[in-house]
Amino acid sequence: MSPDELNKLMSDCAKDAILTASDEFNIVLDKTPESIALVDDVLLSFVDKYHDLALEDEAVFTICNIFGAYIGEILKAQLDGEWIYDQSNPQAPTVFLKVGDNTYAFAGICYERLVNDSQVSVFAYYEKALANHKFTH
């Protein structure tokens, strides 16, 4: 996958997140950093609305990837990051946002909140990522 294809894919996924949040929960994600806090609510709302259906593999994969892309697109614009497609595990290729020497797995943190621990905050993860680069730009 070329960098251009990956950028388009992640941009499209972020748009899907905006539409999904609006259609499913009437939550407006407006591409601002502040709206990332709403993603925490959206993820738990899936479980509230769909119960176990929200935790089926395919649903989890889609939910985590589109909302991970949404968060990543915001940070990418703020810090001039780039999407990296990691195929080191062919069974589970992953996408990371690379900023400087760091990489961030936004889909992974969405997964943690959705599936493993509702106390995990994607907004806090985003804020830590932002803080890591505050003094380098």
Side-chain angles (χ1 to χ4, degrees):
M1 184 177 300
S2 76
D4 286 347
E5 290 169 325
L6 184 57
N7 282 329
K8 181 174 183 344
L9 173 68
M10 298 312 282
S11 175
D12 289 348
C13 283
K15 288 176 191 158
D16 288 344
I18 293 167
L19 288 172
T20 300
S22 176
D23 292 350
E24 292 285 340
F25 309 111
N26 209 22
I27 292 175
V28 176
L29 298 180
D30 60 5
K31 298 183 180 178
T32 60
E34 295 77 23
S35 71
I36 294 171
L38 297 173
V39 173
D40 277 325
D41 296 335
V42 170
L43 292 172
L44 295 186
S45 295
F46 273 104
V47 179
D48 290 343
K49 184 171 180 179
Y50 293 106
H51 308 288
D52 289 347
L53 288 176
L55 300 177
E56 289 181 358
D57 288 350
E58 193 171 315
V60 167
F61 178 82
T62 301
I63 293 166
C64 294
N65 278 302
I66 64 173
F67 288 100
Y70 177 78
I71 301 162
E73 283 287 296
I74 293 171
L75 191 68
K76 178 178 179 253
Q78 287 177 292
L79 297 178
D80 195 29
E82 67 176 305
W83 289 111
I84 303 292
Y85 187 66
D86 179 359
Q87 299 179 72
S88 55
N89 177 352
Q91 300 306 310
T94 26
V95 176
F96 297 98
L97 185 70
K98 186 173 188 328
V99 180
D101 293 332
N102 297 328
T103 55
Y104 300 100
F106 290 110
I109 200 71
C110 289
Y111 179 90
E112 281 299 309
R113 181 167 179 85
L114 183 65
V115 178
N116 293 333
D117 183 356
S118 63
Q119 298 305 302
V120 167
S121 168
V122 296
F123 186 64
Y125 183 82
Y126 156 81
E127 286 190 311
K128 282 183 194 155
L130 194 60
N132 285 343
H133 302 281
K134 199 155 91 183
F135 302 109
T136 61
H137 288 275

